[in-house]
mmCIF file of all heavy atoms in Angstrom:
data_model
loop_
_atom_site.group_PDB
_atom_site.id
_atom_site.type_symbol
_atom_site.label_atom_id
_atom_site.label_comp_id
_atom_site.label_asym_id
_atom_site.label_seq_id
_atom_site.Cartn_x
_atom_site.Cartn_y
_atom_site.Cartn_z
ATOM 1 N N LYS A 102 6.367 -10.165 -14.810
ATOM 2 C CA LYS A 102 7.666 -9.568 -15.139
ATOM 3 C C LYS A 102 7.556 -8.062 -15.292
ATOM 4 O O LYS A 102 8.480 -7.321 -14.941
ATOM 5 C CB LYS A 102 8.206 -10.200 -16.429
ATOM 6 C CG LYS A 102 9.609 -9.752 -16.792
ATOM 7 C CD LYS A 102 10.103 -10.485 -18.040
ATOM 8 C CE LYS A 102 11.510 -10.039 -18.415
ATOM 9 N NZ LYS A 102 11.985 -10.759 -19.636
ATOM 10 N N ARG A 103 6.429 -7.588 -15.816
ATOM 11 C CA ARG A 103 6.207 -6.148 -15.984
ATOM 12 C C ARG A 103 5.897 -5.459 -14.660
ATOM 13 O O ARG A 103 6.056 -4.238 -14.548
ATOM 14 C CB ARG A 103 5.044 -5.900 -16.956
ATOM 15 C CG ARG A 103 5.372 -6.199 -18.409
ATOM 16 C CD ARG A 103 4.140 -6.086 -19.278
ATOM 17 N NE ARG A 103 3.662 -4.714 -19.390
ATOM 18 C CZ ARG A 103 4.048 -3.860 -20.335
ATOM 19 N NH1 ARG A 103 4.954 -4.224 -21.235
ATOM 20 N NH2 ARG A 103 3.553 -2.640 -20.374
ATOM 21 N N CYS A 104 5.454 -6.227 -13.685
ATOM 22 C CA CYS A 104 4.998 -5.637 -12.414
ATOM 23 C C CYS A 104 5.602 -6.372 -11.222
ATOM 24 O O CYS A 104 4.876 -6.913 -10.377
ATOM 25 C CB CYS A 104 3.469 -5.681 -12.336
ATOM 26 S SG CYS A 104 2.634 -4.875 -13.710
ATOM 27 N N PRO A 105 6.913 -6.416 -11.102
ATOM 28 C CA PRO A 105 7.546 -7.207 -10.036
ATOM 29 C C PRO A 105 7.257 -6.694 -8.630
ATOM 30 O O PRO A 105 7.168 -7.478 -7.688
ATOM 31 C CB PRO A 105 9.045 -7.114 -10.370
ATOM 32 C CG PRO A 105 9.174 -5.860 -11.161
ATOM 33 C CD PRO A 105 7.913 -5.766 -11.969
ATOM 34 N N GLU A 106 7.113 -5.370 -8.473
ATOM 35 C CA GLU A 106 6.821 -4.840 -7.149
ATOM 36 C C GLU A 106 5.414 -5.206 -6.702
ATOM 37 O O GLU A 106 5.176 -5.557 -5.545
ATOM 38 C CB GLU A 106 7.006 -3.317 -7.129
ATOM 39 C CG GLU A 106 8.449 -2.880 -7.261
ATOM 40 C CD GLU A 106 9.306 -3.423 -6.129
ATOM 41 O OE1 GLU A 106 9.030 -3.086 -4.965
ATOM 42 O OE2 GLU A 106 10.238 -4.217 -6.413
ATOM 43 N N THR A 107 4.485 -5.133 -7.618
ATOM 44 C CA THR A 107 3.109 -5.549 -7.300
ATOM 45 C C THR A 107 3.094 -7.011 -6.897
ATOM 46 O O THR A 107 2.419 -7.405 -5.932
ATOM 47 C CB THR A 107 2.194 -5.323 -8.516
ATOM 48 O OG1 THR A 107 2.269 -3.946 -8.917
ATOM 49 C CG2 THR A 107 0.749 -5.677 -8.191
ATOM 50 N N TRP A 108 3.844 -7.822 -7.623
ATOM 51 C CA TRP A 108 3.905 -9.256 -7.316
ATOM 52 C C TRP A 108 4.571 -9.491 -5.960
ATOM 53 O O TRP A 108 4.137 -10.366 -5.197
ATOM 54 C CB TRP A 108 4.642 -9.982 -8.422
ATOM 55 C CG TRP A 108 4.595 -11.474 -8.287
ATOM 56 C CD1 TRP A 108 5.643 -12.316 -8.046
ATOM 57 C CD2 TRP A 108 3.437 -12.308 -8.393
ATOM 58 N NE1 TRP A 108 5.210 -13.614 -7.991
ATOM 59 C CE2 TRP A 108 3.858 -13.635 -8.202
ATOM 60 C CE3 TRP A 108 2.084 -12.045 -8.629
ATOM 61 C CZ2 TRP A 108 2.976 -14.718 -8.235
ATOM 62 C CZ3 TRP A 108 1.191 -13.109 -8.663
ATOM 63 C CH2 TRP A 108 1.640 -14.427 -8.468
ATOM 64 N N ARG A 109 5.578 -8.701 -5.642
ATOM 65 C CA ARG A 109 6.217 -8.843 -4.343
ATOM 66 C C ARG A 109 5.257 -8.486 -3.210
ATOM 67 O O ARG A 109 5.151 -9.204 -2.206
ATOM 68 C CB ARG A 109 7.463 -7.932 -4.268
ATOM 69 C CG ARG A 109 8.145 -7.927 -2.898
ATOM 70 C CD ARG A 109 9.295 -6.936 -2.862
ATOM 71 N NE ARG A 109 8.878 -5.568 -3.128
ATOM 72 C CZ ARG A 109 8.305 -4.784 -2.212
ATOM 73 N NH1 ARG A 109 8.078 -5.222 -0.982
ATOM 74 N NH2 ARG A 109 7.968 -3.540 -2.529
ATOM 75 N N VAL A 110 4.545 -7.390 -3.367
ATOM 76 C CA VAL A 110 3.635 -6.921 -2.316
ATOM 77 C C VAL A 110 2.524 -7.932 -2.063
ATOM 78 O O VAL A 110 2.077 -8.098 -0.927
ATOM 79 C CB VAL A 110 3.055 -5.540 -2.687
ATOM 80 C CG1 VAL A 110 1.966 -5.128 -1.721
ATOM 81 C CG2 VAL A 110 4.163 -4.499 -2.734
ATOM 82 N N ARG A 111 2.116 -8.632 -3.102
ATOM 83 C CA ARG A 111 1.007 -9.569 -2.934
ATOM 84 C C ARG A 111 1.351 -10.692 -1.945
ATOM 85 O O ARG A 111 0.471 -11.368 -1.418
ATOM 86 C CB ARG A 111 0.570 -10.145 -4.290
ATOM 87 C CG ARG A 111 1.497 -11.180 -4.936
ATOM 88 C CD ARG A 111 1.176 -12.596 -4.456
ATOM 89 N NE ARG A 111 1.900 -13.652 -5.104
ATOM 90 C CZ ARG A 111 3.129 -14.049 -4.805
ATOM 91 N NH1 ARG A 111 3.865 -13.387 -3.934
ATOM 92 N NH2 ARG A 111 3.666 -15.099 -5.373
ATOM 93 N N GLN A 112 2.627 -10.886 -1.642
ATOM 94 C CA GLN A 112 3.034 -11.917 -0.694
ATOM 95 C C GLN A 112 2.555 -11.616 0.723
ATOM 96 O O GLN A 112 2.536 -12.495 1.577
ATOM 97 C CB GLN A 112 4.552 -12.074 -0.708
ATOM 98 C CG GLN A 112 5.110 -12.561 -2.032
ATOM 99 C CD GLN A 112 6.632 -12.632 -2.050
ATOM 100 O OE1 GLN A 112 7.258 -12.824 -1.016
ATOM 101 N NE2 GLN A 112 7.212 -12.463 -3.222
ATOM 102 N N ASN A 113 2.158 -10.365 0.973
ATOM 103 C CA ASN A 113 1.633 -10.000 2.285
ATOM 104 C C ASN A 113 0.184 -10.433 2.484
ATOM 105 O O ASN A 113 -0.352 -10.288 3.584
ATOM 106 C CB ASN A 113 1.713 -8.473 2.476
ATOM 107 C CG ASN A 113 3.141 -7.967 2.562
ATOM 108 O OD1 ASN A 113 3.890 -8.377 3.430
ATOM 109 N ND2 ASN A 113 3.518 -7.089 1.647
#
Side-chain angles (χ1 to χ4, degrees):
K102 186 177 180 180
R103 288 173 68 90
C104 304
E106 291 300 299
T107 304
W108 188 246
R109 175 184 60 79
V110 172
R111 74 87 174 82
Q112 296 177 28
N113 293 301

